[in-house]
Amino acid sequence: PEFTGFRLVNSSTACEGRVEVHVQGAWGTLCASRWDLLDAHVLCHHLNCGFAESIPKGGHSGRGNGPVWRDSFHCDGTEAHLGECPVTALGASPCSHENDAAVICSGHEANLTLCNTPLPESALEAGIAEDMGVVCWGSRQVRLVNGPGRCAGRVEIYYQGSWGSVCDDGWDLSDAAVVCRQLGCGGALEAVGSARFGEGSAQIWLESVNCSGAEAALWDCPAGSWGQHGCGHKEDAGVICSEFMALRLENGTNCSGRLQVFYNGTWGSVCSNSMTPETVSLACKELGCGDRGSLETQRPYGRLSGTAWLDRVE
Ligand SMILES: *[C@@H]1O[C@H](CO)[C@@H](O)[C@H](O)[C@H]1NC(C)=O
Ligand SMILES: *[C@@H]1O[C@H](CO)[C@@H](O)[C@H](O)[C@H]1NC(C)=O
Ligand SMILES: *[C@@H]1O[C@H](CO)[C@@H](O)[C@H](O)[C@H]1NC(C)=O
Ligand SMILES: *[C@@H]1O[C@H](CO)[C@@H](O)[C@H](O)[C@H]1NC(C)=O
Ligand SMILES: *[C@@H]1O[C@H](CO)[C@@H](O)[C@H](O)[C@H]1NC(C)=O
Ligand SMILES: *[C@@H]1O[C@H](CO)[C@@H](O)[C@H](O)[C@H]1NC(C)=O
């Protein structure tokens, strides 16, 4: 859908509350499980509310009564507004108003204690606060690299200006869950060790990470000191999250076969309802099978097997 407005409601200030989006003439809400700090940061900045301090649990700021949009935003934090962030809605499960997304923005422009980059008080007074919000926020990020999609791969943390990996000692599902949630990638399916997604080449930022699973960010978890470790890149940690999606052709040979989508840990089918030649071409491209194809709905592909993850793909 096209988002034509954004606001925060259910609070005495305009800079915290339930996230509401204006779509097709009505205000609706977003699902907390698909909402992360980078998305929240973009919204806070856009609303002139500084940057995102925290994301309360879903439903913290009351329930909306409009539609709940299934979209997940994949902001990197630098976009001017949410409308510029990549959005996916494919395969997302329904969400109720009990889980409406909320955010608490900084309420003033910046709070130096939230930055790990020391910036002088004078910078604040000089009125570069908004830029600084971005600098502060940019000082720590997490991403998954060298995997088959943005929601699976080797864990990397951006800290003090460079990306580094995480050691797999003690790396488990609770740790992986924090990474997945932080990235808006759903839950954790697997905590991967032994550099299954390749070895990093720069710093190893953390070892002995021991999250309870409830932390808002990986760096809120108990762990060794930054950059202090007894690990090698052979032990780089990775994650496979539930929102990771991939395509394949079941028993496919020669670039033809039944189209399947990997989602939430299972390969499932795709219904052909309203599938356009454009969608088919896109699937072929993504599978590395050229940039055109044709839809076959007759046997042997005609009947679905297993879960159907997607229908009415446009
Ligand atoms: C926000 O929502 C909660 C739960 O619905 C309600 O109890 C509270 O009064 C609301 N606060 C404001 C300021 O609207
Ligand atoms: C994803 O898998 C989990 C566990 O296997 C299950 O509980 C959950 O309902 C699944 N979600 C969807 C959208 O199918
Ligand atoms: C900055 O944030 C810290 C921790 O959240 C808080 O203790 C402090 O009072 C804040 N400072 C200002 C000036 O708001
Ligand atoms: C991880 O934290 C839990 C408490 O949350 C503690 O019981 C456990 O000993 C810790 N594990 C390690 C290896 O430090
Ligand atoms: C795909 O291959 C598996 C074994 O590799 C077989 O059991 C299954 O029947 C095949 N499915 C189709 C649709 O041909
Ligand atoms: C593979 O596809 C090409 C082009 O459609 C066709 O000429 C060829 O016979 C196919 N080979 C097999 C083994 O099906």
Side-chain angles (χ1 to χ4, degrees):
E2 197 190 335
F3 298 96
T4 46
F6 302 96
R7 67 180 184 190
L8 298 174
V9 302
N10 180 254
S11 155
S12 52
T13 90
C15 289
E16 72 171 78
R18 183 170 71 244
V19 179
E20 294 207 343
V21 294
H22 194 252
V23 179
Q24 293 161 6
W27 289 99
T29 54
L30 297 173
C31 188
S33 60
R34 293 186 273 276
W35 178 245
D36 69 16
L37 273 170
L38 289 176
D39 306 336
H41 173 62
V42 170
L43 181 60
C44 290
H45 195 239
H46 173 56
L47 296 174
N48 287 322
C49 288
F51 55 104
E53 239 173 48
S54 65
I55 301 179
K57 259 179 55 154
H60 169 273
S61 294
R63 304 172 185 190
N65 50 20
V68 187
W69 294 98
R70 295 191 188 190
D71 304 69
S72 7
F73 293 92
H74 303 293
C75 309
D76 66 18
T78 61
E79 295 87 351
H81 58 83
L82 284 174
E84 287 184 359
C85 303
V87 172
T88 56
L90 292 182
S93 48
C95 184
S96 78
H97 278 301
E98 266 143 65
N99 202 22
D100 280 343
V103 61
I104 298 173
C105 303
S106 61
H108 45 238
E109 295 301 342
N111 180 333
L112 294 180
T113 65
L114 294 171
C115 305
N116 63 355
T117 321
L119 287 171
E121 192 78 33
S122 57
L124 247 189
E125 286 156 10
I128 59 159
E130 285 212 345
D131 292 337
M132 199 165 58
V134 176
V135 172
C136 294
W137 199 255
S139 61
R140 284 189 210 178
Q141 291 174 38
V142 67
R143 68 178 180 187
L144 298 176
V145 300
N146 208 30
R150 63 171 287 277
C151 291
R154 182 172 72 240
V155 178
E156 288 201 345
I157 301 179
Y158 186 76
Y159 178 69
Q160 289 187 345
S162 61
W163 290 97
S165 56
V166 174
C167 185
D168 68 4
D169 58 343
W171 184 248
D172 63 16
L173 271 181
S174 312
D175 307 320
V178 172
V179 174
C180 291
R181 187 156 14 100
Q182 204 178 347
L183 289 170
C185 283
L189 295 176
E190 200 180 337
V192 170
S194 308
R196 201 202 297 172
F197 291 113
E199 297 182 14
S201 54
Q203 276 92 345
I204 297 174
W205 276 131
L206 293 176
E207 74 164 342
S208 306
V209 178
N210 187 14
C211 308
S212 72
E215 294 86 353
L218 188 58
W219 41 84
D220 293 339
C221 302
S225 306
W226 288 92
Q228 306 284 308
H229 63 85
C231 298
H233 278 299
K234 280 189 181 55
E235 298 158 88
D236 281 348
V239 166
I240 301 174
C241 306
S242 63
E243 301 279 313
F244 159 60
M245 275 201 210
L247 292 181
R248 74 171 184 191
L249 295 171
E250 186 190 22
N251 300 6
T253 48
N254 208 9
C255 283
S256 68
R258 180 187 283 128
L259 184 62
Q260 290 192 316
V261 172
F262 183 87
Y263 174 69
N264 199 22
T266 316
W267 286 99
S269 304
V270 181
C271 299
S272 57
N273 293 324
S274 47
M275 190 177 276
T276 61
E278 287 75 24
T279 308
V280 174
S281 303
L282 204 66
C284 289
K285 231 184 249 178
E286 184 148 341
L287 289 160
C289 285
D291 53 15
R292 261 154 30 111
S294 63
L295 184 63
E296 300 288 336
T297 54
Q298 305 304 312
R299 284 166 203 280
Y301 310 124
R303 269 192 297 145
L304 289 178
S305 62
T307 320
W309 277 132
L310 297 176
D311 193 6
R312 305 193 181 282
V313 185
E314 288 175 41

